[in-house]
Amino acid sequence: VSAAIREVTAAEAAFYREHGWVKLERLVAPDDAAELLSVARGAMRRAGGTRRRESYYEATGTAGKAVLDIGFWQDYHYIARDDRAEPFVSLVFSREMGRNAQRLLGRSVPMRYSADLLACKVPLGHEGESTPTIWHQDFPGLPFDRVGSLSFWLALDEVTPEQGAMRFLSGSQREGPLGRTIVVGTDLLEVYPELLERYAVSEELCLEPGDATVHNAAVVHYAPANTTDRDRWAYIFTYFPGDTLYTGAQNHNFDDLGLQPNRPIEHPRFPQVYP
Ligand SMILES: O=C(O)CCC(=O)C(=O)O
């Protein structure tokens, strides 16, 4: 897979830094997306039957082999990190993807892997139906002393706006941290309704298999419910700047690893992907 990952362009990186998100068409070849989807379906089918309802942030502490109904989507964590399933490993831990992450960040620092998960948003009215993903920032839930972490959201199948493609408050990454609303399950716009006057909601996006969006962990974003009759298949993988210091803030993915506050996050769970 790694050879088929294309490079992020300078124009895309500039768009990302301005708006806090960017759409990357054909980041991955459609054939590779089809292969990823087939492996994803197989892993989630094999793990089936263990569905529990947990919050998104509790799910981050769960290794693979469990499909969790977290409300927003059916969640399967760490297919690359823990299951070591290909072609996921080659995609997420490739130099090419790490370099793309660094180009978007726009800083000459190493990039470290943070997490990866499958997010299948189930249509309304179907068994295990998913709710809208509430408006939130990712950053406040993370134990990082600085901004810069970013998420790739790769469409493994066609994703239409009606299936729950993501929407962003363009430019809202400049607001700074707005609270751990996602951790406690509060919609961020209930707390900050005025943001809708200050920032435009990004246009509706249609993604083909292999297209992706990337978002800054500090940009405010959400995804509507899936009102079609087809599952929405996304693979989300995230990176953070290697000079980030650990704050010690509670997060299931970072707790109990012996990480030291005010020190870099140098742990085999978070390998350096680039350079
Ligand atoms: O896939 C979704 O519905 C939202 C994903 C999201 O919020 C994220 O990747 O941070």
Side-chain angles (χ1 to χ4, degrees):
V1 161
S2 56
I5 300 166
R6 78 161 171 90
E7 200 166 275
V8 166
T9 67
E12 288 168 337
F15 185 99
Y16 171 83
R17 285 203 287 281
E18 170 76 12
H19 299 285
W21 67 275
V22 66
K23 181 182 178 194
L24 303 176
E25 286 177 5
R26 266 193 178 243
L27 177 65
V28 169
D31 284 356
D32 291 329
E35 171 71 8
L36 290 160
L37 177 59
S38 157
V39 174
R41 282 187 200 278
M44 287 180 73
R45 202 179 307 119
R46 280 193 300 281
T50 51
R51 301 187 170 199
R52 286 169 287 146
R53 205 176 184 87
E54 300 192 19
S55 76
Y56 173 68
Y57 274 86
E58 280 170 89
T60 66
T62 311
K65 313 286 180 275
V67 178
L68 304 178
D69 181 350
I70 63 158
F72 307 146
W73 59 73
Q74 300 290 333
D75 180 288
Y76 187 89
H77 256 76
Y78 308 127
I79 191 167
R81 186 191 86 182
D82 291 350
D83 297 1
R84 307 305 295 176
E86 288 289 7
F88 288 94
V89 172
S90 301
L91 179 83
V92 173
F93 297 109
S94 68
R95 273 181 66 80
E96 288 83 354
M97 202 59 88
R99 188 173 58 218
N100 278 340
Q102 195 200 59
R103 292 196 98 185
L104 292 165
L105 175 69
R107 294 183 59 224
S108 227
V109 286
M111 297 305 296
R112 282 186 182 271
Y113 159 89
S114 180
D116 69 284
L117 64 133
L118 292 160
C120 177
K121 206 181 250 306
V122 176
L124 291 177
H126 291 218
E127 192 190 339
E129 68 177 3
S130 305
T131 59
T133 307
I134 55 175
W135 286 101
H136 67 281
Q137 291 174 313
D138 301 332
F139 180 74
L142 295 162
F144 298 158
D145 77 326
R146 65 200 66 191
V147 292
S149 79
L150 47 85
S151 295
F152 287 76
W153 192 103
L154 178 68
L156 301 186
D157 200 1
E158 188 188 3
V159 176
T160 62
E162 299 74 29
Q163 278 177 293
M166 286 179 64
R167 309 288 294 271
F168 310 90
L169 285 189
S170 286
S172 60
Q173 74 279 8
R174 292 194 197 87
E175 286 284 319
L178 299 170
R180 302 191 109 201
T181 57
I182 186 68
V183 178
V184 297
T186 303
D187 190 304
L188 189 145
L189 289 188
E190 282 174 20
V191 188
Y192 300 94
E194 65 279 6
L195 292 183
L196 282 173
E197 291 156 28
R198 291 217 281 275
Y199 302 99
V201 179
S202 60
E203 64 191 5
E204 292 190 328
L205 297 174
C206 289
L207 292 94
E208 298 294 325
D211 290 354
T213 55
V214 183
H215 63 273
N216 184 319
V219 81
V220 178
H221 56 277
Y222 107 117
N226 182 349
T227 56
T228 72
D229 55 12
R230 286 184 53 163
D231 289 341
R232 184 214 71 176
W233 282 95
Y235 180 54
I236 304 168
F237 47 99
T238 69
Y239 304 97
F240 60 93
D243 60 350
T244 300
L245 303 183
Y246 181 60
T247 64
Q250 191 276 330
N251 179 294
H252 291 279
N253 194 23
F254 295 83
D255 295 343
D256 306 321
L257 296 176
L259 296 174
Q260 296 299 312
N262 310 321
R263 301 276 305 152
I265 302 171
E266 285 163 3
H267 187 278
R269 180 178 280 191
F270 310 106
Q272 183 176 312
V273 177
Y274 185 79

